[in-house]
Amino acid sequence: MRIIMVAGILSLSGLAGYAAKKQPVLPAYNDPPGQLFRMAPMTKSSRSLVINLSNNLHLAYDTQNMRIHTAWKGKGLDLYGPCYHGGKRPFICHKNGTALWGNPPIQSWMQEPNGALKTQYNGFSSLNGQVTLLYQLAGHKSTTEVRETFSSQDDTFIRTFQFDSLEGNITHKAHIEEGTPIKIDFPQTVAIQRKDDVLVCILKGQGAIKVIKDKIVFSEEQFTEEGSTKGNQFTRHEAQMAQIIVSIKENNSPSKFELISFTAKDPIAAAKAAQGFSMPKFKITNSKAVLLSANPKARRSFVFDPHYKVEALALPDINLFATGMDWVSPKDLAICTYTGEVWIVENATGPIQKMKYRRFARGMNEPMGLLVRDGHIYLGNKSEVTRLQDTNDDGVADLFERVSSDWDYTGSYNSFSYGPVLDRDGNLIIANAGHAGHWDAKHMGWALKISPESEKATPFASGLREPNGIIAFGQGKDLFVTDNQGAWIGACKLNHVKDGGFYGHPTSKPAPKEEYIGRESMDPPAVWFPYKWVRSASGMTEIIDDRFGPFKGQLLVSDFQNAVITRVQLEKVEGQWQGAVWPFLKGFQSGVNRIIMGKDGNLYAGGGKVRAWAANAPAFHSLERVTFTGKTPFEVQSVNVLPEGFRINFTAPVDRDTAKALDGFDVWQYNYKLHKKYGSPEFNHEGKADSFTVIKVDALTVSTDRLSITIRLNGWKAGYVTGVRALDVRSESGSKLWHDTFYYTLNRIPEK
């Protein structure tokens, strides 16, 4: 075979040197025996679906190019990445065993005489302990639905193909290998002599089989850790290769055939034995629902506050690092996890010890969002949005449909897709991370819109770095995302995401390539979070119930690193969203990653931590319930910007004497710089780093009902974060403020 390297991409020798330097320092993780499948990035395909036919026989299906890229014998798949071993690298997963065969990324389905069929991968089923691929073949006049089921017997791979009907005569290239076609004197049996063995393939059922040798030309991407940010290498192959081809004639009724493939030193003896293959075939039997009870030794929560009671849920011995949450019913909470599982917490709104934990799915690819829509669960996997269904009502998902994968996925440990959420028009919205990629990787750093009628994802806003929180907020369903401090992102922030918006971080195509070095300006966030409060902004939820205290209509925003939750109040000024942020609760058991309000009026907070993403908390995962005690805190309830200053609204009447003192309020302003460096210092009005400008309070006015104070400011400017501290203000009963400081992101000052 002749291998030609594409110009300008990494050489093989350079790649080998990189691999030598980047050997894993931590052991790989392996899925337990009995797990049927795993979605994971591999060298041959970042969108691999690994199917475990037995505990010793496995294959990896490339769902993008629709081919089996590797079939092997051995232990299975070695999984790498933060969610498995804690480290950031390595993250490309590898087979653990001996490769048996695999196909290149070429079109394998043709319509005779020489017409290529358009193929579309739709997902897979796991019914009856077997994986069945679901895809379409589109011809000139009609579309054929194909179901390809995998099973095994001993060391033999069995593929069963079923069609509802066939328009025209169709051929399928079942194997493409370096080697020489050889003749075996058994019905419907062909083979390829390879360097060290023979690959035998037997056809059973409808159709005919043959083996030929012809020139094959293709280009194959090699997914690597270094390539995820610098661009992967492509190898161009051009050689005479043996091809095993199955022909199926046109048929208006259902059609079916089986392909039995194996390798052998003695093909004649092996083929003879294979002629008698029949049921039973090996199946993974461990597919029943796992239902666990609450842990009788539940640990207590570390959050102690007079206004909000926090309970730690009694998690059984499972890894419930929450990456997405939504309600499947008023009482049952669905949670997806970093390691790719989906659990249903049954009776989550009830007594802690009566909750049950049911595993609904596993083997997903590090989902970072979960949405329940029309009774189905939608997961924001790294490589696609997947719809999960339980078609036989046994409590376990058995249908995994691809909704959209219309973006490039490098396999990087940080290439997350956050969401989905629903916008006001019923579209699915996801937000892709942008900082762990390169310009050629399509749609990285973009917010994408997926319509219900199409799997196509339309990019509509860009400049996102690590948008680990996404919500459709308020009656208007305005879209907001949190983003995390880093290069081009001065501090964690809350963006109002709108059509055509750009939010700071260089974004991959379809953004212009010349802008990948950075831009000079961006759309301002609705809220900048002070770095001392928020260092890793994550999930959000809207307070929609008065039962949770006096903050209905506002947002709660969690922070992973500090294991806290903040409160955000937004208002729209001259068409621009802006608002204030306060601390809310601290001391959660693990880094808070996802939060959601329940139908019971309570808040549910879940998260975790790993070595790569540390959190200032003791537990590696947690789920906690927050309930309002009924004791209203004396607090700034909301803030409204006025032409001359702020109106500060309180949850209880203020003491007039403490409220009217001019020196009782401290006000200052600063902003951040848009630059390539990681984060940004605070800059004052004169542009001095690590500094702020003191703003003078000219006058104070206390309202008649003493529920608000208006402060008139001198020297303040739009375009700055405005800090306000009220250390001396007391309620009429003498209470101090629950939190005496807030930060208001002042994008606009309204005209008089």
Side-chain angles (χ1 to χ4, degrees), residues 551-582:
F551 307 114
K552 184 177 179 181
Q554 299 183 15
L555 284 174
L556 296 175
V557 182
S558 55
D559 177 67
F560 186 86
Q561 184 172 336
N562 286 342
V564 302
I565 295 176
T566 61
R567 175 172 62 91
V568 170
Q569 172 246 324
L570 296 170
E571 60 177 351
K572 186 176 282 189
V573 179
E574 297 180 352
Q576 175 73 50
W577 282 104
Q578 57 190 41
V581 56
W582 292 261

Side-chain angles (χ1 to χ4, degrees), residues 202-206 256-260 274-278:
I202 302 171
L203 171 67
K204 290 194 171 186
Q206 298 170 319
K256 177 181 178 180
F257 68 86
E258 282 188 342
L259 289 176
I260 301 169
Q275 295 297 320
F277 273 13
S278 60

Side-chain angles (χ1 to χ4, degrees), residues 255-274:
S255 303
K256 177 181 178 180
F257 68 86
E258 282 188 342
L259 289 176
I260 301 169
S261 301
F262 57 91
T263 60
K265 297 293 184 181
D266 183 351
I268 304 301
K272 183 177 181 180

